[in-house]
Coordinates of all heavy atoms in Angstrom, one line a residue:
M1 N -4.4 -0.9 5.7 CA -3.8 0.1 4.7 C -4.7 1.3 4.6 O -5.9 1.2 4.7 CB -3.8 -0.6 3.3 CG -3.4 0.4 2.2 SD -3.3 -0.3 0.7 CE -1.6 -0.8 0.7
T2 N -4.0 2.4 4.6 CA -4.8 3.7 4.4 C -4.1 4.5 3.4 O -2.8 4.7 3.3 CB -4.6 4.6 5.8 OG1 -5.2 3.8 6.9 CG2 -5.4 5.9 5.7
L3 N -4.9 4.8 2.4 CA -4.5 5.7 1.2 C -5.1 7.0 1.4 O -6.4 7.0 1.5 CB -4.9 5.1 -0.1 CG -3.9 4.1 -0.7 CD1 -4.1 2.7 -0.1 CD2 -4.1 4.0 -2.2
A4 N -4.5 8.1 1.5 CA -5.0 9.4 1.7 C -5.0 10.2 0.3 O -4.2 9.9 -0.5 CB -4.2 10.1 2.8
Y5 N -5.8 11.1 0.3 CA -6.0 11.9 -1.0 C -4.7 12.7 -1.3 O -4.4 13.0 -2.5 CB -7.2 12.9 -0.8 CG -8.5 12.2 -1.0 CD1 -9.3 12.0 0.2 CD2 -8.9 11.7 -2.2 CE1 -10.5 11.4 0.0 CE2 -10.1 11.0 -2.3 CZ -10.9 11.0 -1.2 OH -12.1 10.3 -1.3
E6 N -3.9 13.1 -0.4 CA -2.7 13.9 -0.7 C -1.5 13.1 -1.1 O -0.4 13.6 -1.2 CB -2.3 14.8 0.6 CG -1.8 14.0 1.7 CD -2.8 13.5 2.7 OE1 -3.9 13.6 2.5 OE2 -2.3 12.9 3.8
G7 N -1.7 11.9 -1.5 CA -0.7 11.0 -2.1 C 0.1 10.2 -1.1 O 1.2 9.8 -1.4
K8 N -0.3 10.1 0.1 CA 0.3 9.3 1.1 C -0.4 8.1 1.4 O -1.6 8.0 1.2 CB 0.5 10.2 2.4 CG 1.5 11.4 2.3 CD 1.6 12.1 3.5 CE 2.4 13.4 3.4 NZ 2.4 14.1 4.7
A9 N 0.3 7.0 1.8 CA -0.3 5.8 2.2 C 0.5 5.1 3.4 O 1.8 5.5 3.4 CB -0.4 4.8 1.0
V10 N -0.1 4.3 4.1 CA 0.5 3.6 5.2 C -0.1 2.2 5.3 O -1.3 2.0 5.1 CB 0.3 4.3 6.5 CG1 0.7 3.4 7.7 CG2 1.1 5.5 6.6
F11 N 0.8 1.2 5.5 CA 0.3 -0.1 5.7 C 1.2 -0.8 6.6 O 2.4 -0.5 6.6 CB -0.1 -0.9 4.5 CG 1.1 -1.3 3.6 CD1 1.7 -2.5 3.7 CD2 1.6 -0.5 2.6 CE1 2.7 -3.0 3.0 CE2 2.6 -0.8 1.8 CZ 3.2 -2.1 2.0
S12 N 0.9 -1.9 7.2 CA 1.8 -2.8 8.0 C 1.9 -4.1 7.4 O 1.0 -4.6 6.8 CB 1.4 -2.8 9.5 OG 0.1 -3.4 9.6
S13 N 3.0 -4.7 7.6 CA 3.2 -6.1 7.1 C 3.8 -7.0 8.3 O 4.4 -6.4 9.2 CB 4.2 -6.2 5.9 OG 5.4 -5.7 6.3
T14 N 3.5 -8.2 8.2 CA 3.9 -9.1 9.3 C 4.6 -10.3 8.8 O 5.2 -11.1 9.6 CB 2.7 -9.6 10.1 OG1 1.8 -10.3 9.2 CG2 2.0 -8.5 10.8
R15 N 4.7 -10.6 7.5 CA 5.3 -11.7 7.0 C 6.6 -11.5 6.3 O 7.8 -11.7 6.9 CB 4.4 -12.5 6.1 CG 3.2 -13.0 6.9 CD 2.5 -14.1 6.1 NE 1.3 -14.5 6.9 CZ 0.4 -15.3 6.4 NH1 0.6 -15.8 5.3 NH2 -0.5 -15.7 7.3
V16 N 6.6 -11.2 5.1 CA 7.9 -11.0 4.3 C 8.8 -10.1 5.0 O 10.0 -10.5 5.2 CB 7.5 -10.5 2.8 CG1 8.8 -10.3 2.0 CG2 6.6 -11.5 2.2
K17 N 8.5 -8.9 5.3 CA 9.4 -8.0 6.0 C 8.5 -7.2 7.0 O 7.8 -6.3 6.7 CB 10.0 -7.0 4.9 CG 11.1 -6.2 5.5 CD 11.6 -5.2 4.4 CE 12.7 -5.8 3.6 NZ 13.3 -4.9 2.7
P18 N 8.5 -7.7 8.3 CA 7.6 -7.1 9.2 C 8.0 -5.6 9.5 O 9.1 -5.3 9.7 CB 7.9 -7.9 10.6 CG 8.4 -9.2 10.1 CD 9.1 -8.9 8.8
A19 N 7.1 -4.7 9.2 CA 7.3 -3.3 9.3 C 6.1 -2.5 9.1 O 5.1 -3.0 8.7 CB 8.3 -2.9 8.1
L20 N 6.2 -1.2 9.4 CA 5.2 -0.2 9.1 C 5.7 0.5 7.9 O 6.9 0.9 7.9 CB 5.0 0.8 10.2 CG 3.9 1.9 10.0 CD1 2.6 1.2 9.8 CD2 3.9 2.8 11.1
W21 N 5.0 0.5 6.7 CA 5.5 1.0 5.5 C 4.9 2.5 5.3 O 3.6 2.5 5.4 CB 5.0 0.1 4.3 CG 5.7 -1.2 4.4 CD1 5.3 -2.3 5.2 CD2 6.8 -1.6 3.6 NE1 6.2 -3.3 4.9 CE2 7.1 -2.9 4.0 CE3 7.7 -1.0 2.8 CZ2 8.2 -3.6 3.4 CZ3 8.6 -1.7 2.2 CH2 8.9 -3.0 2.5
H22 N 5.7 3.4 5.0 CA 5.2 4.8 4.7 C 5.5 5.0 3.2 O 6.6 4.7 2.7 CB 6.2 5.8 5.4 CG 5.9 5.7 6.9 ND1 4.9 6.3 7.6 CD2 6.6 4.9 7.8 CE1 4.9 5.9 8.9 NE2 5.9 5.1 9.1
C23 N 4.3 5.3 2.5 CA 4.4 5.4 1.1 C 3.9 6.7 0.4 O 3.2 7.4 1.1 CB 3.4 4.3 0.5 SG 3.7 2.6 1.2
F24 N 4.4 7.0 -0.8 CA 3.7 7.9 -1.6 C 3.2 7.3 -2.8 O 3.8 6.4 -3.3 CB 4.9 9.0 -2.1 CG 5.4 9.8 -1.0 CD1 6.6 9.5 -0.4 CD2 4.6 10.9 -0.5 CE1 7.0 10.3 0.7 CE2 5.1 11.7 0.5 CZ 6.3 11.4 1.1
W25 N 2.0 7.6 -3.2 CA 1.4 6.9 -4.3 C 0.9 7.9 -5.4 O 0.8 9.1 -5.2 CB 0.2 6.2 -3.8 CG -0.9 7.0 -3.3 CD1 -1.2 7.3 -2.0 CD2 -2.1 7.5 -4.1 NE1 -2.4 8.1 -1.9 CE2 -3.0 8.3 -3.2 CE3 -2.4 7.5 -5.4 CZ2 -4.1 8.9 -3.6 CZ3 -3.6 8.1 -5.8 CH2 -4.4 8.9 -5.0
N26 N 0.8 7.3 -6.6 CA 0.2 8.1 -7.8 C -0.7 7.2 -8.5 O -0.6 5.9 -8.4 CB 1.4 8.6 -8.7 CG 2.2 7.5 -9.3 OD1 1.7 6.6 -9.9 ND2 3.6 7.7 -9.2
G27 N -1.7 7.7 -9.1 CA -2.7 7.0 -9.8 C -2.2 6.4 -11.1 O -1.5 7.1 -11.9
A28 N -2.3 5.2 -11.3 CA -1.9 4.5 -12.6 C -3.2 4.4 -13.5 O -2.9 4.3 -14.7 CB -1.4 3.1 -12.2
S29 N -4.4 4.3 -12.9 CA -5.6 4.1 -13.7 C -6.7 4.5 -12.7 O -6.4 4.8 -11.5 CB -5.8 2.8 -14.3 OG -6.1 1.9 -13.3
S30 N -8.0 4.4 -13.1 CA -9.1 4.7 -12.2 C -9.3 3.6 -11.1 O -9.9 3.8 -10.2 CB -10.4 4.8 -13.0 OG -10.6 3.6 -13.7
H31 N -8.5 2.5 -11.3 CA -8.7 1.4 -10.3 C -7.3 0.9 -9.8 O -7.3 -0.2 -9.2 CB -9.5 0.2 -10.9 CG -10.9 0.5 -11.3 ND1 -11.9 0.8 -10.3 CD2 -11.4 0.7 -12.4 CE1 -13.0 1.0 -10.9 NE2 -12.8 1.0 -12.2
A32 N -6.3 1.7 -10.0 CA -4.9 1.3 -9.6 C -4.1 2.5 -9.2 O -4.2 3.5 -9.7 CB -4.3 0.4 -10.8
A33 N -3.2 2.1 -8.3 CA -2.2 3.1 -7.8 C -0.8 2.4 -7.6 O -0.7 1.3 -7.2 CB -2.6 3.7 -6.4
N34 N 0.3 3.2 -8.0 CA 1.6 2.8 -7.7 C 2.1 3.3 -6.5 O 1.9 4.5 -6.2 CB 2.5 3.2 -8.9 CG 2.1 2.7 -10.2 OD1 1.9 1.5 -10.3 ND2 2.1 3.5 -11.2
L35 N 2.7 2.6 -5.6 CA 3.2 3.0 -4.3 C 4.6 2.8 -4.2 O 5.3 1.8 -4.6 CB 2.5 2.2 -3.2 CG 1.1 2.4 -2.8 CD1 0.2 1.7 -3.8 CD2 0.8 1.9 -1.4
D36 N 5.3 3.9 -3.9 CA 6.8 3.9 -3.6 C 6.9 4.0 -2.0 O 6.5 4.9 -1.4 CB 7.5 5.1 -4.2 CG 7.5 4.9 -5.7 OD1 7.8 3.8 -6.2 OD2 7.2 5.9 -6.4
C37 N 7.5 3.0 -1.4 CA 7.4 2.8 0.0 C 8.7 2.6 0.7 O 9.6 2.0 0.1 CB 6.5 1.5 0.4 SG 4.8 1.7 -0.4
T38 N 8.7 3.0 2.0 CA 9.9 2.8 2.8 C 9.5 2.1 4.0 O 8.5 2.5 4.7 CB 10.5 4.2 3.2 OG1 11.0 4.8 2.0 CG2 11.8 4.0 4.1
P39 N 10.2 1.0 4.5 CA 9.8 0.3 5.7 C 10.4 0.9 6.9 O 11.5 1.5 6.8 CB 10.4 -1.1 5.5 CG 11.6 -0.9 4.6 CD 11.2 0.2 3.7
S40 N 9.6 0.9 8.0 CA 10.2 1.5 9.2 C 11.4 0.8 9.7 O 12.2 1.5 10.5 CB 9.1 1.5 10.3 OG 8.7 0.0 10.6
T41 N 11.7 -0.4 9.3 CA 12.9 -1.1 9.8 C 14.2 -0.7 9.1 O 15.2 -1.1 9.4 CB 12.6 -2.6 9.7 OG1 12.3 -2.9 8.3 CG2 11.6 -3.1 10.6
D42 N 14.0 -0.1 7.8 CA 15.2 0.3 7.1 C 14.8 1.6 6.3 O 14.4 1.4 5.1 CB 15.6 -0.8 6.2 CG 16.8 -0.6 5.3 OD1 17.4 0.6 5.5 OD2 17.2 -1.3 4.5
T43 N 15.0 2.7 6.8 CA 14.6 3.9 6.2 C 15.4 4.3 4.9 O 15.1 5.2 4.2 CB 14.6 5.2 7.2 OG1 15.9 5.3 7.7 CG2 13.6 4.9 8.3
E44 N 16.5 3.6 4.7 CA 17.2 3.8 3.4 C 16.7 3.0 2.3 O 17.0 3.1 1.1 CB 18.7 3.6 3.7 CG 19.3 4.4 4.7 CD 19.3 5.9 4.4 OE1 19.6 6.2 3.2 OE2 18.9 6.7 5.2
S45 N 15.9 2.1 2.5 CA 15.3 1.1 1.5 C 14.0 1.6 0.9 O 13.3 2.3 1.6 CB 15.0 -0.2 2.2 OG 14.5 -1.1 1.3
H46 N 13.9 1.3 -0.4 CA 12.6 1.7 -1.0 C 12.1 0.6 -1.8 O 12.9 -0.1 -2.6 CB 12.9 2.9 -2.0 CG 13.3 4.1 -1.3 ND1 12.5 5.0 -0.6 CD2 14.6 4.7 -1.1 CE1 13.2 6.0 0.0 NE2 14.4 5.8 -0.5
E47 N 10.9 0.3 -1.8 CA 10.3 -0.8 -2.6 C 9.0 -0.2 -3.3 O 8.3 0.6 -2.8 CB 10.0 -2.0 -1.6 CG 11.3 -2.5 -1.1 CD 11.1 -4.0 -0.5 OE1 10.3 -4.7 -1.0 OE2 11.8 -4.2 0.4
R48 N 8.7 -0.9 -4.4 CA 7.4 -0.5 -5.2 C 6.4 -1.6 -5.0 O 6.6 -2.8 -5.0 CB 7.8 -0.4 -6.6 CG 8.7 0.9 -6.8 CD 9.0 1.1 -8.3 NE 9.7 2.4 -8.3 CZ 9.4 3.3 -9.1 NH1 8.4 3.2 -10.0 NH2 10.2 4.4 -9.1
F49 N 5.1 -1.1 -4.9 CA 3.9 -2.0 -4.8 C 2.9 -1.4 -5.7 O 3.0 -0.2 -6.2 CB 3.4 -2.0 -3.4 CG 4.3 -2.5 -2.4 CD1 5.2 -1.6 -1.7 CD2 4.3 -3.8 -2.0 CE1 6.1 -2.1 -0.8 CE2 5.2 -4.2 -1.0 CZ 6.1 -3.4 -0.4
V50 N 1.9 -2.2 -6.2 CA 0.8 -1.8 -7.0 C -0.4 -2.2 -6.2 O -0.6 -3.3 -5.7 CB 0.8 -2.4 -8.4 CG1 -0.5 -2.0 -9.0 CG2 2.0 -2.0 -9.1
F51 N -1.4 -1.2 -6.0 CA -2.7 -1.4 -5.3 C -3.8 -1.3 -6.3 O -3.8 -0.3 -7.0 CB -2.8 -0.5 -4.1 CG -4.1 -0.6 -3.4 CD1 -4.2 -1.7 -2.6 CD2 -5.2 0.1 -3.6 CE1 -5.4 -2.0 -1.8 CE2 -6.4 -0.1 -2.8 CZ -6.5 -1.1 -2.0
T52 N -4.6 -2.4 -6.5 CA -5.7 -2.4 -7.4 C -7.0 -2.7 -6.7 O -7.0 -3.3 -5.7 CB -5.5 -3.3 -8.6 OG1 -5.4 -4.7 -8.0 CG2 -4.3 -3.1 -9.4
V53 N -8.1 -2.2 -7.2 CA -9.4 -2.4 -6.7 C -10.2 -3.1 -7.8 O -10.4 -2.5 -8.9 CB -10.1 -1.2 -6.2 CG1 -11.5 -1.5 -5.6 CG2 -9.4 -0.5 -5.1
G54 N -10.7 -4.3 -7.5 CA -11.5 -5.1 -8.5 C -13.0 -4.7 -8.6 O -13.5 -3.8 -7.7
E55 N -13.7 -5.2 -9.5 CA -15.1 -4.9 -9.6 C -15.9 -5.2 -8.5 O -16.9 -4.7 -8.1 CB -15.7 -5.7 -10.9 CG -15.1 -5.2 -12.2 CD -15.5 -3.9 -12.6 OE1 -16.7 -3.4 -12.2 OE2 -14.8 -3.1 -13.2
D56 N -15.4 -6.2 -7.7 CA -16.1 -6.7 -6.4 C -15.8 -5.7 -5.2 O -16.3 -5.9 -4.1 CB -15.7 -8.1 -6.1 CG -14.2 -8.3 -5.9 OD1 -13.4 -7.3 -6.0 OD2 -13.8 -9.5 -5.6
G57 N -14.9 -4.7 -5.5 CA -14.5 -3.8 -4.4 C -13.4 -4.2 -3.5 O -13.0 -3.4 -2.6
V58 N -12.8 -5.3 -3.8 CA -11.7 -5.9 -3.0 C -10.4 -5.4 -3.5 O -10.3 -5.4 -4.7 CB -11.7 -7.4 -3.0 CG1 -10.5 -8.0 -2.3 CG2 -13.0 -8.0 -2.3
G59 N -9.6 -4.8 -2.6 CA -8.3 -4.3 -3.1 C -7.3 -5.3 -2.9 O -7.3 -6.2 -2.0
E60 N -6.3 -5.3 -3.8 CA -5.1 -6.2 -3.8 C -3.9 -5.4 -3.8 O -3.7 -4.5 -4.6 CB -5.2 -7.2 -4.9 CG -6.3 -8.2 -4.8 CD -6.3 -9.3 -5.9 OE1 -5.6 -9.1 -6.9 OE2 -6.8 -10.3 -5.6
L61 N -3.0 -5.8 -2.9 CA -1.6 -5.1 -3.0 C -0.7 -6.2 -3.6 O -0.6 -7.3 -3.1 CB -1.2 -4.8 -1.5 CG 0.1 -4.1 -1.4 CD1 0.1 -2.8 -2.0 CD2 0.4 -4.0 0.1
R62 N 0.0 -5.7 -4.6 CA 1.0 -6.7 -5.2 C 2.4 -6.1 -5.2 O 2.6 -4.9 -5.2 CB 0.6 -6.8 -6.7 CG -0.8 -7.5 -7.0 CD -1.1 -7.5 -8.4 NE -2.4 -8.1 -8.6 CZ -2.7 -9.4 -8.8 NH1 -1.7 -10.2 -8.9 NH2 -3.9 -9.7 -8.9
Q63 N 3.3 -7.0 -5.1 CA 4.7 -6.8 -5.2 C 5.3 -7.6 -6.3 O 5.3 -8.9 -6.1 CB 5.5 -6.9 -3.9 CG 6.8 -6.4 -3.9 CD 7.6 -6.5 -2.6 OE1 7.3 -7.5 -1.9 NE2 8.5 -5.6 -2.3
Q64 N 6.0 -7.1 -7.3 CA 6.5 -7.9 -8.4 C 5.5 -8.9 -8.9 O 5.8 -10.0 -9.3 CB 7.8 -8.6 -8.0 CG 8.9 -7.7 -7.5 CD 10.1 -8.3 -7.0 OE1 10.1 -9.6 -6.8 NE2 11.2 -7.6 -6.8
G65 N 4.2 -8.4 -9.1 CA 3.1 -9.2 -9.7 C 2.5 -10.2 -8.8 O 1.5 -10.8 -9.1
Q66 N 3.0 -10.4 -7.6 CA 2.5 -11.3 -6.6 C 1.6 -10.7 -5.6 O 1.9 -9.7 -5.0 CB 3.6 -12.1 -5.9 CG 3.1 -13.1 -5.0 CD 4.3 -14.0 -4.3 OE1 5.4 -13.7 -4.6 NE2 3.9 -14.8 -3.4
V67 N 0.4 -11.2 -5.5 CA -0.5 -10.6 -4.4 C 0.0 -10.9 -3.0 O 0.3 -12.1 -2.6 CB -1.9 -11.2 -4.5 CG1 -2.9 -10.8 -3.4 CG2 -2.6 -11.0 -5.9
I68 N 0.2 -9.9 -2.3 CA 0.7 -9.9 -0.9 C -0.2 -9.5 0.2 O 0.0 -9.7 1.4 CB 2.1 -9.2 -0.7 CG1 1.9 -7.8 -1.0 CG2 3.1 -9.8 -1.5 CD1 3.1 -7.0 -0.4
G69 N -1.4 -9.0 -0.2 CA -2.4 -8.6 0.7 C -3.7 -8.3 0.0 O -3.7 -7.9 -1.2
R70 N -4.9 -8.6 0.7 CA -6.2 -8.3 0.1 C -6.9 -7.4 1.2 O -6.8 -7.7 2.4 CB -7.0 -9.5 -0.2 CG -6.5 -10.3 -1.3 CD -7.5 -11.3 -1.8 NE -7.1 -11.9 -3.1 CZ -6.2 -12.8 -3.3 NH1 -5.6 -13.4 -2.3 NH2 -5.9 -13.2 -4.5
F71 N -7.7 -6.4 0.7 CA -8.3 -5.5 1.7 C -9.8 -5.2 1.2 O -10.1 -5.3 0.1 CB -7.5 -4.1 1.5 CG -6.1 -4.3 1.9 CD1 -5.1 -4.6 0.9 CD2 -5.6 -4.1 3.2 CE1 -3.8 -4.8 1.2 CE2 -4.3 -4.1 3.5 CZ -3.4 -4.5 2.5
V72 N -10.6 -4.9 2.3 CA -11.9 -4.6 2.1 C -12.1 -3.2 2.7 O -11.7 -2.9 3.7 CB -12.9 -5.6 2.7 CG1 -14.3 -5.1 2.6 CG2 -12.7 -7.0 2.2
R73 N -12.8 -2.3 1.9 CA -13.0 -0.9 2.3 C -13.8 -0.8 3.6 O -14.8 -1.5 3.7 CB -13.6 -0.1 1.2 CG -13.8 1.3 1.5 CD -14.4 2.1 0.5 NE -14.2 3.5 0.7 CZ -14.3 4.4 -0.3 NH1 -14.6 4.0 -1.5 NH2 -14.3 5.7 0.1
E74 N -13.3 0.1 4.5 CA -14.0 0.3 5.7 C -14.6 1.7 5.8 O -14.1 2.5 5.1 CB -13.1 0.1 6.9 CG -12.6 -1.3 7.1 CD -11.8 -1.4 8.4 OE1 -11.7 -0.5 9.2 OE2 -11.3 -2.5 8.6
T75 N -15.7 1.9 6.5 CA -16.3 3.2 6.6 C -15.4 4.1 7.6 O -14.7 3.5 8.4 CB -17.7 3.2 7.0 OG1 -17.7 2.6 8.3 CG2 -18.5 2.4 6.0
G76 N -15.5 5.3 7.5 CA -14.8 6.2 8.4 C -13.7 6.9 7.7 O -13.5 6.8 6.5
N77 N -12.9 7.7 8.4 CA -11.9 8.5 7.9 C -10.6 8.3 8.8 O -10.4 9.1 9.6 CB -12.3 9.9 7.9 CG -11.3 10.8 7.1 OD1 -10.5 10.3 6.4 ND2 -11.4 12.1 7.2
P78 N -9.9 7.2 8.5 CA -8.7 6.8 9.3 C -7.6 7.9 9.0 O -7.5 8.5 7.9 CB -8.3 5.5 8.8 CG -8.8 5.4 7.5 CD -10.2 6.2 7.5
A79 N -6.9 8.2 10.0 CA -5.7 9.2 10.0 C -4.4 8.4 9.7 O -4.2 7.3 10.3 CB -5.6 10.1 11.1
I80 N -3.6 8.9 8.8 CA -2.4 8.3 8.6 C -1.4 8.8 9.8 O -1.3 10.0 10.1 CB -1.7 8.8 7.4 CG1 -2.5 8.1 6.2 CG2 -0.2 8.5 7.2 CD1 -2.0 8.3 4.8
Q81 N -0.7 7.8 10.4 CA 0.1 8.1 11.6 C 1.5 8.5 11.1 O 2.1 7.9 10.3 CB 0.1 7.0 12.5 CG -1.2 6.4 12.8 CD -1.8 7.0 14.0 OE1 -1.1 7.3 15.0 NE2 -3.1 7.1 14.1

């Protein structure tokens, strides 16, 4: 998952709906962001996710309250494709 400062995000999924997700995000709090995403497999579809970062620095991606992914911050400056 890559969240960029200009309000864009990208992540890939392999289970529920295998796709590359292109998202726009907005800050919900200092530790959370709301993501409005479109999967590469159905560009007419839109789904919402919430990304939070806990005190331990681990990020969690949730859909309808269920954790669907956990992330650890990496160094560097990845580019959104």
Side-chain angles (χ1 to χ4, degrees):
M1 170 177 273
T2 302
L3 274 80
Y5 286 108
E6 72 271 5
K8 295 180 184 177
V10 165
F11 69 93
S12 61
S13 62
T14 57
R15 293 196 180 176
V16 176
K17 194 182 270 191
L20 180 63
W21 294 82
H22 297 275
C23 311
F24 291 101
W25 65 267
N26 63 50
S29 72
S30 62
H31 296 287
N34 296 315
L35 287 82
D36 291 315
C37 305
T38 301
S40 59
T41 54
D42 181 4
T43 57
E44 298 300 315
S45 173
H46 298 283
E47 297 195 32
R48 292 182 176 229
F49 300 88
V50 176
F51 181 74
T52 58
V53 179
E55 293 293 324
D56 58 0
V58 174
E60 290 186 338
L61 185 64
R62 296 176 183 267
Q63 186 178 35
Q64 298 176 352
Q66 182 178 357
V67 175
I68 60 169
R70 289 193 170 83
F71 303 85
V72 177
R73 185 178 189 160
E74 293 185 7
T75 58
N77 191 13
I80 291 183
Q81 311 268 328

